[in-house]
Amino acid sequence: MDETKEKLEAPIAGVTVIKSDLKKVLSAHKRFAISGKNVEGSILSAIKFEIKGDILVLTTTDGDRALQTELTILTSYGEDCEFCVSMALAAKLSFIKGELNEIIIHYENNKVEFIDEDFNSKQILRVKNAEEEFPDIQKIMTTKNNFTVTVSQKLIKD
């Protein structure tokens, strides 16, 4: 295959994750992305999905603070890749409880599909073509005095 043609083709990737975990993570990220018409088209109003081996990393930022979460991938196919989706659209995804507690995320041709095989439903979102590159989260987050705090989910209320 011609090397130039190969670079133009978008990667195809898909992962299966736990539906309830994805729902909780998207809810938390909604508070970190900037919303409103004045930031439409800005990368700060998006959520970044990164497929890295057996981990799905989701990242949002308002430029001063960031939230980055990792979900364990149950199954995967295709290539490691990254893409951004408008957080306003991602926040409107709906997940129905069913027998299967899994959701398939399929990325191809500038769209991402959230497939719930339990209910034979598919939600399709357009991948965000931002005018700017997603900021390096490591530069936003300070490196001095870093520490990790673990809090029981029962203690946190939305």
Side-chain angles (χ1 to χ4, degrees):
M1 183 182 282
D2 185 288
E3 200 173 313
T4 308
K5 186 177 179 182
E6 190 174 316
K7 287 181 183 178
L8 294 175
E9 291 180 10
I12 297 174
V15 298
T16 303
V17 295
I18 295 174
K19 192 186 318 185
S20 59
D21 290 350
L22 180 62
K23 183 178 179 177
K24 289 174 192 171
V25 166
L26 288 175
S27 178
H29 279 273
K30 182 179 174 181
R31 293 184 288 263
F32 274 76
I34 298 175
S35 60
K37 291 183 180 179
N38 58 338
V39 291
E40 190 92 13
S42 168
I43 202 66
L44 301 180
S45 66
I47 181 167
K48 181 179 177 183
F49 289 76
E50 288 179 87
I51 299 170
K52 296 179 176 181
D54 61 351
I55 300 291
L56 174 63
V57 180
L58 295 106
T59 309
T60 49
T61 181
D62 62 7
D64 294 319
R65 60 193 182 119
L67 177 61
Q68 192 168 63
T69 54
E70 294 182 356
L71 294 176
T72 302
I73 294 173
L74 303 174
T75 59
S76 67
Y77 57 89
E79 305 175 34
D80 285 2
C81 66
E82 61 183 59
F83 54 90
C84 292
V85 175
S86 164
M87 190 64 228
L89 293 176
K92 292 182 180 180
L93 288 170
S94 61
F95 302 102
I96 304 167
K97 290 183 180 179
E99 290 180 24
L100 297 176
N101 192 28
E102 298 175 356
I103 194 91
I104 299 168
I105 302 171
H106 176 80
Y107 169 69
E108 181 178 8
N109 295 330
N110 293 325
K111 67 180 179 183
V112 60
E113 300 171 337
F114 294 84
I115 304 164
D116 187 341
E117 290 183 331
D118 199 13
F119 294 96
N120 197 24
S121 69
K122 184 187 301 186
Q123 299 174 74
I124 303 169
L125 302 179
R126 185 179 45 138
V127 172
K128 185 170 187 54
N129 292 323
E131 297 148 7
E132 55 201 282
E133 192 172 318
F134 203 87
D136 182 358
I137 298 305
Q138 301 309 319
K139 289 181 181 176
I140 292 172
M141 304 305 287
T142 59
T143 54
K144 291 184 178 181
N145 302 322
N146 280 349
F147 59 92
T148 302
V149 177
T150 305
V151 179
S152 171
Q153 192 173 11
K154 293 177 184 177
L155 296 176
I156 301 173
K157 291 185 178 181
D158 270 342

